[in-house]
Amino acid sequence: MSDATPILHMLSPQKHMSPFDVNMAADAGYKVIVPYINVTLEEVTALTQDAIFSRPPDFGKRTGLFIGGKDAILALDMLEAAKKALVPPFELSTFADPAGSFTTAAAMVACVERVLRTKFNRGWKDTRIAVFGATGVVGFAASIITALEGAKVKLVAHRGVDRVIKSAAVSKERFGVDLEPAPGETAEQKAAIISDAEVIFAAAAAGVQVISAHDKALAKDLMVVADVNAVPPAGVEGMDLFMDGAPLPGCNALGVGPLAIGDIKYKTESGLFKQMINSDKAVHFDFRDAFAFARTLTT
């Protein structure tokens, strides 16, 4: 491994780079961290090539590029643009984790997978999943991860089904998965979705409750509910922050709470940063790679 100084260039299409991600990168071992804000997709190629051509080829393995923001598709497009800008042997490592949501989604799926395996002797194949907050980055990534594992995934729409139809179309085009848009605006629609679900992902915005005590009582086949919301009120009524496969009050399902997920999320993001620093070649990470790593922490 090269003894070159580990340098991380952090790109955000927004006006701020997340302090969370900066801290994570520093604690993982990056010695020089430079944030770039208001970055457009068209600027990624030039920034990437400035980073690779300014160091000897052997230093590329110690040069990283992180992509933040809050837009999953834009982050993936920027990641692809950075990879296409590489000119071997001049390379660097890349990692997309907009709003920390790719690693959060990976952690949520891995935690629920562990509960399914240890408590129900089940995997993802043909498991019926309802995703609340499906248009957010966490819901988007979790939907694709589980669909790639063979699950049957519904994207629940709260304010018009058009947005989840678009998400399903993008997911099919990019990843070849079939996700089912499901209108959930009325009480009747929501009840039908919950009654059919075996797993629920509550990935709505912080402080928004999407599953009430009444909703839980409708769930006859529900095995596991996961909630990433640590801001009161809980996304799932009765969910404890630290719950990790414990019985969820008011139903027969087991709960996975936000701090149990957060522990694996933290270790996943940190672990991927460390892999970037310590790898003997350039590596490239998106939510699929994050899930592969999170799995190693939950088996």
Side-chain angles (χ1 to χ4, degrees), residues 1-153:
M1 182 179 67
S2 169
D3 59 359
T5 300
I7 300 175
L8 183 66
H9 303 279
M10 304 187 78
L11 278 54
S12 173
Q14 298 183 297
K15 67 177 182 177
H16 298 297
M17 172 54 66
S18 165
F20 186 105
D21 295 323
V22 173
N23 290 352
M24 292 287 291
D27 289 342
Y30 277 104
K31 302 303 181 185
V32 178
I33 299 171
V34 185
Y36 305 77
I37 60 172
N38 297 317
V39 177
T40 67
L41 176 60
E42 293 73 24
E43 294 172 318
V44 172
T45 295
L47 289 168
T48 302
Q49 292 183 345
D50 270 3
I52 62 174
F53 289 139
S54 56
R55 308 188 87 184
D58 187 54
F59 284 25
K61 65 190 73 171
R62 304 280 274 176
T63 310
L65 188 146
F66 178 86
I67 299 167
K70 291 190 175 181
D71 185 321
I73 298 302
L74 179 55
L76 292 170
D77 286 344
M78 294 175 84
L79 181 69
E80 189 62 26
K83 290 162 65 176
K84 287 180 178 178
L86 302 178
V87 185
F90 293 92
E91 297 186 280
L92 50 66
S93 293
T94 61
F95 179 14
D97 195 15
S101 296
F102 282 178
T103 47
T104 299
M108 177 171 66
V109 176
C111 287
V112 172
E113 181 180 65
R114 174 174 57 191
V115 176
L116 285 173
R117 182 181 65 251
T118 58
K119 303 295 186 179
F120 299 97
N121 194 30
R122 285 280 298 269
W124 290 115
K125 179 66 174 173
D126 294 329
T127 296
R128 302 189 303 276
I129 302 174
V131 182
F132 290 82
T135 57
V137 184
V138 173
F140 174 83
S143 300
I144 297 169
I145 291 169
T146 49
L148 287 170
E149 293 294 316
K152 297 178 179 178
V153 184

Side-chain angles (χ1 to χ4, degrees), residues 216 225-227 234-241 243 248-249 254-258:
K216 288 186 298 182
V225 183
D227 182 8
V236 177
E237 188 172 353
M239 181 72 73
D240 181 83
L241 292 174
M243 197 169 280
L248 182 64
L254 304 180
V256 178

Side-chain angles (χ1 to χ4, degrees), residues 150-172:
K152 297 178 179 178
V153 184
K154 288 183 180 179
L155 308 180
V156 183
H158 291 287
R159 293 187 300 273
V161 75
D162 289 348
R163 291 177 67 200
V164 293
I165 289 175
K166 181 179 178 181
S167 291
V170 169
S171 301
K172 177 67 172 179

